[in-house]
Amino acid sequence: TRKESSAASDVYKRQILDNADILQLFKITTKTASTWRNEGILPYLKIKNKVFYKLSDMHEVIDANYNPSKKK
């Protein structure tokens, strides 16, 4: 929907993302985000009990896991 796409584009305007942004960006659950952090897939920083992510790190995660199709 238009509201969702607007919210998603707002994510890309910021340099620091919170956990809610990551859940929306990757369309994952809180548990999956936690697992990915614990497995070292998602680099993050934690201030008190709040988790944040650098947008540049998320671009690197996407690039590192990108598998282009090999159509013949």
Side-chain angles (χ1 to χ4, degrees):
T1 65
R2 182 173 287 210
K3 184 178 179 182
E4 289 173 354
S5 63
S6 175
S9 68
D10 289 345
V11 166
Y12 289 103
K13 293 178 185 175
R14 298 188 308 244
Q15 296 299 307
I16 299 294
L17 309 174
D18 66 12
N19 208 52
D21 295 327
I22 295 305
L23 300 182
Q24 181 181 4
L25 180 67
F26 289 108
K27 296 180 174 42
I28 58 175
T29 65
T30 303
K31 176 64 176 157
T32 299
S34 176
T35 299
W36 287 5
R37 285 193 306 271
N38 293 338
E39 291 177 354
I41 296 169
L42 290 180
Y44 67 99
L45 64 104
K46 193 168 188 179
I47 301 174
K48 296 208 177 205
N49 291 326
K50 182 93 170 153
V51 177
F52 297 96
Y53 308 85
K54 290 174 30 181
L55 180 58
S56 59
D57 287 343
M58 296 307 102
H59 283 277
E60 289 178 20
V61 168
I62 291 167
D63 290 345
N65 290 283
Y66 179 68
N67 292 310
S69 64
K70 298 185 179 178
K71 295 182 181 180
K72 292 185 178 184

